[in-house]
Amino acid sequence: MDRIKIKAPATVANLSCGFDVLGLCLDNPFDEIEVIKKTKKEVVIDIIDSSYSNIPSNPKENTGGVPALCIIDDLNLDFGFNIKIKKGIPLCGGLGSSASTASGVVFAINKLLNDKLSIKQMLKYSLKGESVSVSNPHADNIAPCLLGGLTLIRDTKSLDIIKVPISDYYISLIHPHLHINTQEARNMLPKNIKLSSAITQWGNIGGLVLGFTLNDNKLISRSMNDVIIEPVRSSLIEGFDHIKNNALELGALGCSISGSGPTIFALCENEDVAQGILDFSKSFYQSLDMGCDTFLSQVNNIGPIII
């Protein structure tokens, strides 16, 4: 096989209380990535025009280009790659856009190499790509993007990653047209946390993981409460409290910030509730004369999909 085209999925990192340790793979939105073998030992990136195509084509500055270069060097390949990227995931939106590009390129290259790379190697190369956009990359977007479903990152350093069982849910995604830099959003977080807050957060994370495992929606709903990160970052997102309160009133199991934001997500038991939240959110941001992208997604248990 000399070429392959895939869909690389968006992700919801943190999933409320699981900062840097939980990540959920989505079936919408997604990037389209095509990788073609080149006889010349180089990486060439073509950015296909889209609403979110403002990303660098220099492979040393692109989250997909960096792992491609590393794979060529580490495996001493005698060929290169032409990588065509059509972004469908908002940039700096909290939906794992940079991780999708990195993971999607690594997944596609691995298929061209007849699955030569192990899962841990794929994760490692994808994290190298993420390092382009953040100084201290974490696997909470990379892992669900590559593996699909809900992932628990027990330890990023050793890449000890566990897939957590999860049932079918609908996810409302509301992306107001605000710019939040991932690194800046991380820098604003508190350096010290009260023990009482930490205990509450640990209880919620444990309850949330067990809730998904047992398919206990009441436990999931009780546990989707972030007392450490959300109170700080929500101040950056105009209308967050209004959107969240309405989502819960409409029947969402939980609602919080996706990754570092500004995207807001709501986890729902059915499509009608999810769509109702999106309709309200569109109208709300229109009333503020603010642009807003919305997406309706289900859980993607596969990860990247070959087109």
Side-chain angles (χ1 to χ4, degrees):
M1 183 163 51
D2 292 328
R3 64 194 301 157
I4 186 172
K5 189 173 184 179
I6 67 157
K7 291 181 180 180
T11 50
V12 171
N14 305 338
L15 209 64
S16 184
C17 55
F19 180 68
D20 278 359
V21 298
L22 291 179
L24 178 65
C25 188
L26 307 171
D27 69 6
N28 186 48
F30 54 84
D31 292 344
E32 291 185 8
I33 299 174
E34 185 174 15
V35 180
I36 306 163
K37 283 185 180 179
K38 285 176 56 70
T39 54
K40 192 173 180 180
K41 193 173 178 177
E42 64 178 358
V43 173
V44 175
I45 296 180
D46 297 321
I47 309 300
I48 310 302
D49 188 48
S50 75
S51 299
Y52 314 110
S53 57
N54 186 27
I55 61 172
S57 58
N58 182 339
K60 293 182 179 180
E61 299 174 356
N62 184 285
T63 60
V66 168
L69 291 168
C70 290
I71 291 170
I72 290 172
D73 288 342
D74 291 350
L75 274 59
N76 196 26
L77 302 179
D78 61 359
F79 55 87
F81 303 104
N82 179 202
I83 302 169
K84 300 178 184 293
I85 303 170
K86 184 176 182 180
K87 296 294 295 180
I89 304 172
L91 308 177
C92 296
L95 288 170
S97 183
S98 60
S100 174
T101 301
S103 301
V105 168
V106 170
F107 175 88
I109 288 177
N110 191 44
K111 290 300 177 185
L112 294 182
L113 298 177
N114 297 314
D115 294 317
K116 189 171 185 176
L117 302 175
S118 68
I119 291 296
K120 281 201 173 183
Q121 286 176 312
M122 293 171 68
L123 290 165
K124 181 190 74 172
Y125 284 121
S126 299
L127 280 171
K128 285 187 177 181
E130 274 274 73
S131 66
V132 174
S133 59
V134 290
S135 59
N136 187 24
H138 291 262
D140 52 351
N141 288 116
I142 291 291
C145 185
L146 275 175
L147 303 177
L150 176 61
T151 56
L152 169 66
I153 295 83
R154 196 203 64 79
D155 180 54
T156 294
K157 188 174 182 181
S158 64
L159 292 175
D160 186 0
I161 293 167
I162 301 148
K163 283 200 71 171
V164 178
I166 184 169
S167 299
D168 293 330
Y169 292 99
Y170 286 85
I171 302 99
S172 304
L173 301 161
I174 303 104
H175 174 243
H177 290 178
L178 301 167
H179 179 79
I180 296 178
N181 180 274
T182 302
Q183 190 63 51
E184 292 176 0
R186 183 170 288 273
N187 292 340
M188 73 182 294
L189 298 179
K191 300 296 184 289
N192 298 296
I193 300 168
K194 288 182 179 180
L195 182 59
S196 59
S197 297
I199 291 170
T200 298
Q201 197 86 335
W202 294 331
N204 284 334
I205 293 171
L208 186 58
V209 171
L210 185 61
F212 283 122
T213 302
L214 298 177
N215 195 25
D216 185 336
N217 286 337
K218 290 183 178 178
L219 179 56
I220 290 169
S221 186
R222 294 200 307 273
S223 302
M224 286 189 70
N225 181 30
D226 177 7
V227 300
I228 296 174
I229 309 302
E230 182 186 299
V232 177
R233 285 182 169 171
S234 61
S235 63
L236 300 175
I237 306 171
E238 186 171 357
F240 172 80
D241 290 336
H242 202 60
I243 295 294
K244 178 175 180 176
N245 292 337
N246 179 77
L248 296 176
E249 287 177 6
L250 287 175
L253 294 175
C255 179
S256 189
I257 304 168
S258 180
S260 58
T263 298
I264 303 165
F265 81 94
L267 185 73
C268 308
E269 294 181 76
N270 60 66
E271 186 176 2
D272 288 343
V273 170
Q275 187 60 58
I277 292 168
L278 294 182
D279 292 342
F280 171 85
S281 301
K282 286 179 187 177
S283 297
F284 173 74
Y285 279 112
Q286 284 176 356
S287 72
L288 299 181
D289 291 325
M290 182 184 296
C292 171
D293 300 322
T294 59
F295 304 94
L296 179 63
S297 177
Q298 289 183 273
V299 176
N300 172 353
N301 279 302
I302 300 171
I305 297 171
I306 298 173
I307 301 175

